[in-house]
Amino acid sequence: MKVLVIGSGAREHALCRSLSLDPHVTALHCAPGNAGIAEVAQLHRVDALDGKAVAALATELGAELVVVGPEAPLVAGVADAVREAGIPVFGPSGEAAQLEGSKAFAKDVMASAGVPTARSYVCTNAEEVQEALDAFGPPYVVKDDGLAAGKGVVVTADLEAARAHAARCERVVIEEFLDGPEVSLFAITDGRTVLPLQPAQDFKRALDNDEGPNTGGMGAYSPLPWADPKLVDEVLKAVLQPTVDEMRRRGTPFSGLLYAGLAITSRGVRVIEFNARFGDPETQVVLARLKTPLAGVLLAAANGTLADLPPLRWSDDAAVTVVVASHNYPGTPRTGDPITGLDEVAAQDAPYAYVLHAGTRHEGDAVVSAGGRVLSVTATGADLAEARRRAYTAVDRIGLEGSQHRTDIAAKAAGAGV
């Protein structure tokens, strides 16, 4: 099978890595890719937001499956253009991707489907914002209605900070604060059958102890030893299947990866948000534990034949991912700094730990930083403690001037629970 992956982040590197290990994949391409993806896939230049260009590239390559990774191309309708070219594609239509593209739309779908979520108000002016903030009180949860690369949410006890974030957005969703630990659960769906993956937990704040500004994610781990064993079944029945059924009822079936960000509250499971694609950095740990070859599963979702697949097979090992970010992230990142130690990780830590590139590029023979989240290190082990130790050993080998990473990823879970 010839596969083309669209995207250039650590999520796409994780997908390409898994696909490169699949014996059914005969040729692997990625556009535009990054320095790390170039080691496992042939790279091509393309505007990832241009559906016609992506479809033309897929046709030229003879691709038998296209995987659209990032949210922006999905919302822009890139998957639609590829489908119109007659090529199977893993990723929802532009209309269906509004589950991530508009938080107000997602709230409406959840209300119609009876999916448990936080109470909320959609606001378009300062007066509505103030009324909503007064109604819920601190801590204030203010979400940009549109795409914001994982950084459109502010959770704060500071009323002025909440107002300021709302003022920067054309439309915001203000909602009640949900207590309890957060869980990420991915599901692959063909628009009818829903196949949940293993849950993971990520770390959104930039600094240890969940301090500092919100980011796109600074690390993740799986499995969750503290979670109820019935959690996946509960979320499938109460959240994932009803949402997919409601999207089909509306005439906009959702096919691809449905990501549910969940809070395990004192009142039960509540949806924080939906994403329309694999999440970063959770993808890194989930795919590290998946034993079933990936390409066939994605193709079945694209072709509407998920119900015919046998159950997914999972490793008993644990996985931990630690993100290495550039200086000043999540503000304006410094780029162009050389990255060292990548060969040492490959030589001394493989196969239990490996580097997945995000914001990197080649500059001559060197690999340099080219974004905020530069790379992540993923490691596996018999338990979270071993996976965590291996991940941080590998992180310590990597040199990037001014870089930052959290030192507490999976620390509590590896010890005595959350």
Side-chain angles (χ1 to χ4, degrees):
M1 185 190 314
K2 298 179 181 178
V3 183
L4 169 62
V5 176
I6 301 300
S8 60
R11 166 187 51 228
E12 287 74 41
H13 193 175
L15 286 165
C16 285
R17 182 180 185 275
S18 292
L19 290 166
S20 72
L21 299 174
D22 188 330
H24 298 101
V25 175
T26 56
L28 182 58
H29 304 269
C30 185
N34 62 39
I37 296 174
E39 298 175 5
V40 295
Q42 183 178 346
L43 302 191
H44 303 269
R45 290 188 177 184
V46 76
D47 180 354
L49 297 174
D50 185 337
K52 290 183 179 179
V54 171
L57 174 62
T59 300
E60 177 187 340
L61 295 173
E64 295 161 280
L65 174 66
V66 174
V67 181
V68 183
E71 60 272 30
L74 290 169
V75 171
V78 168
D80 300 273
V82 176
R83 284 193 185 92
E84 289 170 5
I87 301 170
V89 58
F90 182 81
S93 67
E95 284 187 281
Q98 287 302 309
L99 271 179
E100 178 170 4
S102 168
K103 293 175 177 62
F105 174 80
K107 287 288 187 181
D108 184 64
V109 170
M110 284 187 272
S112 299
V115 170
T117 186
R119 294 179 295 123
S120 63
Y121 295 99
V122 179
C123 306
T124 57
N125 58 55
E127 183 178 350
E128 291 175 351
V129 166
Q130 189 58 57
E131 289 177 359
L133 294 174
D134 289 343
F136 290 129
Y140 305 105
V141 182
V142 184
K143 299 181 176 182
D144 190 336
D145 179 55
L147 295 178
K151 293 175 282 187
V153 179
V154 165
V155 181
T156 179
D158 185 334
L159 179 59
E160 290 306 315
R163 286 173 176 157
H165 182 64
R168 289 192 291 269
C169 308
E170 287 188 20
R171 186 163 74 155
V172 295
V173 175
I174 295 176
E175 62 185 40
E176 65 175 327
F177 176 77
L178 297 174
D179 64 338
E182 295 185 12
V183 173
S184 299
L185 184 61
F186 301 160
I188 293 173
T189 178
D190 57 11
R192 192 173 297 272
T193 299
V194 181
L195 192 64
L197 306 185
Q198 290 291 301
Q201 186 174 60
D202 79 331
F203 295 73
K204 291 294 187 189
R205 297 287 184 173
L207 307 177
D208 286 1
N209 302 312
D210 287 329
E211 297 178 356
N214 211 43
T215 75
M218 294 299 291
Y221 69 92
S222 179
L224 312 181
W226 49 269
D228 188 329
K230 299 178 182 178
L231 175 64
V232 174
D233 288 340
E234 178 186 349
V235 175
L236 175 61
K237 293 175 182 177
V239 175
L240 299 170
Q241 191 70 59
T243 300
V244 169
D245 291 345
E246 172 63 18
M247 292 295 287
R248 189 174 67 254
R249 187 193 68 78
R250 291 178 175 224
T252 54
F254 188 102
S255 170
L257 195 290
L258 179 60
Y259 165 123
L262 309 164
I264 313 302
T265 77
S266 55
R267 295 175 290 145
V269 173
R270 297 289 186 273
V271 175
I272 300 171
E273 65 176 352
F274 283 131
N275 288 340
R277 38 74 192 180
F278 281 101
D280 179 1
E282 300 97 321
T283 300
Q284 289 90 301
V285 293
V286 172
L287 292 186
R289 300 185 58 225
L290 180 64
K291 295 178 70 175
T292 301
L294 183 61
V297 181
L298 303 186
L299 183 62
N303 289 337
T305 58
L306 269 184
D308 299 334
L309 291 185
L312 297 178
R313 295 180 294 112
W314 295 94
S315 169
D316 292 330
D317 283 353
V320 172
T321 286
V322 179
V323 172
V324 177
S326 61
H327 176 74
N328 200 42
Y329 179 76
T332 303
R334 191 174 76 197
T335 60
D337 291 316
I339 303 166
T340 62
L342 300 176
D343 291 341
E344 286 83 351
V345 173
Q348 300 187 47
D349 301 296
Y352 302 108
Y354 48 87
V355 175
L356 295 169
H357 293 236
T360 67
R361 70 172 187 271
H362 280 294
E363 197 168 272
D365 293 332
V367 176
V368 302
S369 61
R373 288 186 296 173
V374 178
L375 54 84
S376 61
V377 172
T378 298
T380 58
D383 55 25
L384 284 174
E386 183 175 53
R388 188 173 182 276
R389 184 168 58 252
R390 287 171 170 171
Y392 279 106
T393 296
V395 167
D396 287 343
R397 300 190 200 281
I398 296 171
L400 174 61
E401 186 178 351
S403 66
Q404 57 180 316
H405 65 271
R406 283 184 58 157
T407 65
D408 62 347
I409 303 300
K412 292 181 180 179
V418 173

